[in-house]
Amino acid sequence: MAVFVMQALGCEVAALNTVQYSNHKGYGRFRGFETSARQIAEVYEGLTECGLCDFDVLLSGYVPGREAVEAVGRVAGDLKGKGQGKGEGGLFWVLDPVMGDEGKLYVSEDVVPAYKGLLHMADMILPNQFEAEYGIPHLKALPSYTLAPSNIPFTHPHAHRLLSGIKIDSLSALKAAITTLHAEYRVPHVVITSLRFPGTPQTLTVVGSTARSNATPRLFRIDIPAIDCYFSGTGDMFAALTVVRFREAAVAEGLCGRRAWVSGDEVEALKLPLAKAVEKVLASMCAVLVKTKERRDRELTRIEETVGKDGEDGKMLHLRKTKAAEIQLVRNLQVLREPSIEFFAQALDS
């Protein structure tokens, strides 16, 4: 999905698949395989040998195993080294640390410290609420990893937790988590998605920040209505749109020659290119997902009249319902490309 979204918005994309599945796991069954660390390295080596590594942005997403995560880290490090010749801006790495959601990991446990060992290299991270916070209490401490080509070990006292080590159950805890990601991991841009707070079940919140030069946050939030439907692939869609819209905003502000495309300290939270980009990202997503749900509801009305709910028919009903909820990108390219912005960033005191 991420490749199509970026291409639909005018980007030239070179894709290196970290998995090759017949379908997403929401169906409850799938066939296919994971790309090994060796295969990732081999494909990247082929690109390098042909001089096809002149990239402006790297987006990394779902990587299910520790060794493969480390291989992605080596690719990112090598690309950043090559990008130094472009000036201070260099390659911009958007890291979506896909590990789990709603209290559950869906990668192996040793992926967590491997990701934490990459954070200091990333220019932007896009964790969801679960990935950004305290994580799962029963995870045992795991070793940190040294990643080539930098060969600099990166450790953290909470290597057995997820990213920030803070349970996000309030706005104050959220601010503390983002401050940790800026100050301890030196991540310039942070966007945390799929935030839900007590008392607001019908609202999803996205919070972002671009760090100042002293690593303090410039925080903004955008609230959107929750849609009563389970979609697979929204994280990929969000990440791809963020790459495109943030690069557009950075170009407009003349930031692509600056390290990590960071605005000067004088720029307030609501004026940040990141805030403007995320407004546009969420506008596209809301429009596409609302239209997807409308089509899904029509399809459910039709199939529930023809498919039973017991035994094999019950299994088929699940498969058909899941298919009906597939995100309808091709049918909704207009709103993907030119959304009407309805939800605007609000400042959070930092």
Side-chain angles (χ1 to χ4, degrees), residues 222 270 274-284 341 343-345:
I222 304 176
L270 299 188
L274 184 61
K276 297 302 180 184
V278 176
E279 286 177 348
K280 204 164 187 178
V281 168
L282 293 176
S284 291
I341 298 176
F343 310 104
F344 296 91

Side-chain angles (χ1 to χ4, degrees), residues 58-342:
L58 170 66
L59 169 62
S60 61
Y62 178 61
V63 187
R66 173 184 61 81
E67 291 183 354
V69 170
E70 292 175 339
V72 170
R74 287 188 286 271
V75 169
D78 190 59
L79 286 172
K80 279 186 165 288
K82 289 180 170 64
Q84 289 176 357
K86 297 182 178 181
E88 191 171 358
L91 178 96
F92 191 95
W93 183 15
V94 179
L95 191 164
D96 185 4
V98 181
M99 294 183 285
D101 201 3
E102 298 181 351
K104 297 180 180 179
L105 280 178
Y106 39 68
V107 295
S108 59
E109 292 184 357
D110 58 358
V111 165
V112 178
Y115 264 127
K116 293 177 79 166
L118 298 179
L119 292 184
H120 68 297
M121 296 170 58
D123 299 290
M124 179 187 295
I125 61 171
L126 305 174
N128 60 32
Q129 180 172 358
F130 170 70
E131 291 158 347
E133 63 178 8
Y134 177 88
I136 301 176
H138 72 265
L139 285 180
K140 297 179 180 178
L142 293 167
S144 60
Y145 297 92
T146 302
L147 299 173
S150 64
N151 292 322
I152 300 174
F154 187 74
T155 61
H156 191 272
H158 301 296
H160 60 294
R161 302 174 182 174
L162 295 195
L163 300 184
S164 72
I166 297 170
K167 178 68 176 176
I168 300 174
D169 53 8
S170 65
L171 286 176
S172 60
L174 174 65
K175 293 175 186 177
I178 292 179
T179 298
T180 296
L181 293 168
H182 281 327
E184 295 191 28
Y185 293 104
R186 314 305 290 185
V187 181
H189 307 278
V190 177
V191 181
I192 300 180
T193 63
S194 305
L195 287 156
R196 292 181 182 267
F197 295 108
T200 59
Q202 303 304 315
T203 301
L204 285 176
T205 299
V206 173
V207 173
S209 173
T210 294
R212 298 183 182 90
S213 57
N214 62 359
T216 57
R218 285 175 281 187
L219 295 155
F220 64 87
R221 67 182 287 175
I222 304 176
D223 298 325
I224 57 174
I227 299 173
D228 185 20
C229 181
Y230 178 78
F231 304 102
S232 289
T234 53
D236 286 349
M237 184 180 177
F238 183 90
L241 286 168
T242 299
V243 165
V244 178
R245 298 309 186 189
F246 184 60
R247 187 176 186 280
E248 289 175 350
V251 168
E253 296 295 326
L255 296 175
C256 291
R258 300 186 61 166
R259 186 191 67 81
W261 305 354
V262 174
S263 302
D265 288 353
E266 73 280 0
V267 180
E268 299 177 357
L270 299 188
K271 300 294 185 181
L272 289 170
L274 184 61
K276 297 302 180 184
V278 176
E279 286 177 348
K280 204 164 187 178
V281 168
L282 293 176
S284 291
M285 291 197 66
C286 287
V288 170
L289 295 180
V290 165
K291 290 181 178 296
T292 295
K293 184 178 182 299
E294 290 172 352
R295 188 175 185 276
R296 184 212 68 155
D297 290 347
R298 292 193 298 270
E299 180 67 10
L300 290 187
T301 298
R302 186 181 70 83
I303 65 178
E304 286 181 348
E305 295 173 353
T306 59
V307 181
K309 299 181 180 180
D310 299 319
E312 290 297 320
D313 282 345
K315 293 179 182 178
M316 182 58 68
L317 180 61
H318 168 72
L319 296 175
R320 295 182 68 179
K321 282 184 175 181
T322 303
K323 182 181 178 182
E326 293 281 10
I327 298 174
Q328 301 295 303
L329 287 173
V330 176
R331 291 179 172 86
N332 297 293
L333 280 177
Q334 184 64 29
V335 293
L336 184 75
R337 291 169 171 160
E338 299 177 7
S340 176
I341 298 176
E342 300 180 23

